[in-house]
Amino acid sequence: MSKKISPKMKEALKLIEKELTEIPKDDDPAFEDFILWVVSYPDEAQRQYPRFYKTFNEAIQEFTSWEKATIFEAIAKGSSTWLEDANKTASSLLRQNKLRQHLQILKSYKNFGERTTDTVIKAAYKRHKEFFDEYIVIVEQELREGNSIKKEKPVQKKNKLSYVWQGKSDEELPNLYQQMKGKFIDNESDLSQFIAIFSGLPIQNLKPIKWHSDNASEVLYFILQLEDTQNIASGKRVDYQKLKACFFKPDGTPFTASFKELKQNIDINLSTDKQRAIKDLVSTFT
């Protein structure tokens, strides 16, 4: 007589089956994007795919070149938050220690990026070199002053930031990326590049996303829809400088059209079918 499977075992088997169907195979083009998501958002990855994450975590004995390159992305994305966290500490000594630790990380990775001969790591460092130069100066100045951090606002005024996703970015941005890839954005755009566009990073440190066509009205309408649905913050007027920095034409060159004029004539320049397609895409995240 066979034993009955316990409810706990059934739940575990369902979870394994779910992970096996959802995780891309290692020969799938989406597999690298999935691994990047796991590296960039470990807490969310562990929550959604605990068994895969455990195996993945145990397998990493040494970082590969690609994995080291993703660390540059993580440092660039997280520095502003780390500085804010240091500023919130009640103890001035603890704050100083946090700043020193962060400065050491910044300097060590800048030095590593300058000395590496690995093309993958070198490319990642080149993309963020200005960021390291800028933030090292900021942290050093904060350590000298020993006061609460006041430099973030001036820095943000001087350096315009990319868009900030208002919803559950860990879940929604990879989903949006998969829906847009090959349809609205170039197939060469990777997930980390896409996420950076919506992570509030200095626009000069970004690698712009290539739009799938030269029709500037499409990318403008896409941003307008994200603002209307409050997926990204909206101001009194569209930030065209930010838009041009985050999205390029398919050939990798900036859009030269006047977005202000395009906005006034959006119904003329963009077909009803294309408007509906973009609306349907964005409506998934409302």
Side-chain angles (χ1 to χ4, degrees):
M1 188 177 196
S2 61
K3 294 181 179 179
K4 289 184 177 180
I5 299 176
S6 68
K8 190 173 182 180
M9 177 60 76
K10 285 183 179 180
E11 184 179 347
L13 291 172
K14 284 182 179 178
L15 184 57
I16 293 171
E17 185 178 358
K18 172 179 177 289
E19 292 189 25
L20 287 174
T21 56
E22 291 187 359
I23 294 171
K25 305 298 182 185
D26 58 7
D27 58 350
D28 190 320
F31 183 72
E32 286 190 7
D33 292 334
F34 177 77
I35 295 298
L36 177 58
W37 176 77
V38 173
V39 173
S40 303
Y41 303 97
D43 292 342
E44 185 64 25
Q46 188 173 18
R47 185 184 70 79
Q48 290 192 37
Y49 308 106
R51 284 167 175 76
F52 173 84
Y53 183 80
K54 183 175 183 294
T55 304
F56 172 80
N57 213 32
E58 290 173 350
I60 299 177
Q61 299 300 322
E62 294 182 3
F63 285 121
T64 64
S65 297
W66 179 80
E67 289 162 344
K68 287 176 182 175
T70 64
I71 294 175
F72 282 101
E73 312 284 347
I75 292 173
K77 181 179 179 182
S79 281
S80 179
T81 302
W82 294 337
L83 290 176
E84 289 174 5
D85 288 344
N87 187 41
K88 291 175 184 176
T89 58
S91 166
S92 60
L93 180 61
L94 180 59
R95 177 182 171 278
Q96 293 290 305
N97 287 337
K98 284 191 173 184
L99 288 173
R100 287 193 187 94
Q101 288 173 5
H102 190 50
L103 182 61
Q104 184 178 5
I105 290 172
L106 289 171
K107 285 187 172 181
S108 63
Y109 271 90
K110 176 178 169 57
N111 183 59
F112 176 64
E114 289 175 340
R115 293 174 177 271
T116 185
T117 57
D118 189 295
T119 54
V120 175
I121 302 170
K122 187 178 289 185
Y125 171 69
K126 184 178 179 182
R127 191 158 60 248
H128 296 293
K129 181 181 182 303
E130 291 182 7
F131 157 81
F132 279 95
D133 292 340
E134 177 182 328
Y135 265 81
I136 285 173
V137 172
I138 291 173
V139 179
E140 285 178 333
Q141 186 169 346
E142 293 306 325
L143 279 167
R144 284 196 301 270
E145 292 180 355
N147 299 318
S148 59
I149 294 177
K150 302 292 185 183
K151 302 300 174 184
E152 282 302 293
K153 289 183 179 177
V155 169
Q156 290 181 4
K157 284 183 180 179
K158 179 182 176 182
N159 300 303
K160 192 176 289 293
L161 305 182
S162 65
Y163 301 100
V164 177
W165 192 258
Q166 304 291 316
K168 298 177 180 177
S169 58
D170 289 1
E171 300 173 12
E172 293 173 347
L173 286 178
N175 187 355
L176 178 62
Y177 164 78
Q178 290 296 341
Q179 292 191 51
M180 294 185 70
K181 189 175 182 181
K183 184 176 181 182
F184 291 100
I185 60 175
D186 191 89
N187 272 314
E188 294 178 1
S189 303
D190 61 36
L191 178 59
S192 64
Q193 180 186 351
F194 183 81
I195 288 174
I197 295 295
F198 298 99
S199 299
L201 298 178
I203 59 175
Q204 70 268 25
N205 295 336
L206 297 175
K207 181 181 179 182
I209 294 289
K210 292 180 183 178
W211 199 252
H212 78 110
S213 76
D214 290 336
N215 191 341
S217 294
E218 289 184 14
V219 67
L220 171 61
Y221 192 74
F222 171 63
I223 292 299
L224 290 173
Q225 287 301 305
L226 290 180
E227 290 184 348
D228 288 346
T229 54
Q230 298 182 340
N231 282 301
I232 60 174
S234 58
K236 292 182 179 178
R237 57 185 179 181
V238 179
D239 191 329
Y240 301 121
Q241 184 182 347
K242 182 188 297 186
L243 180 57
K244 288 183 177 181
C246 291
F247 295 94
F248 275 14
K249 293 192 290 186
D251 63 1
T253 60
F255 283 102
T256 55
S258 170
F259 281 106
K260 185 176 181 180
E261 292 180 9
L262 290 177
K263 184 181 178 184
Q264 295 170 350
N265 300 287
I266 198 77
D267 289 331
I268 299 174
N269 297 314
L270 195 60
S271 70
T272 303
D273 288 343
K274 185 61 70 173
Q275 289 184 40
R276 185 182 299 111
I278 294 173
K279 272 188 176 180
D280 289 345
L281 168 71
V282 174
S283 66
T284 308
F285 303 93
T286 56

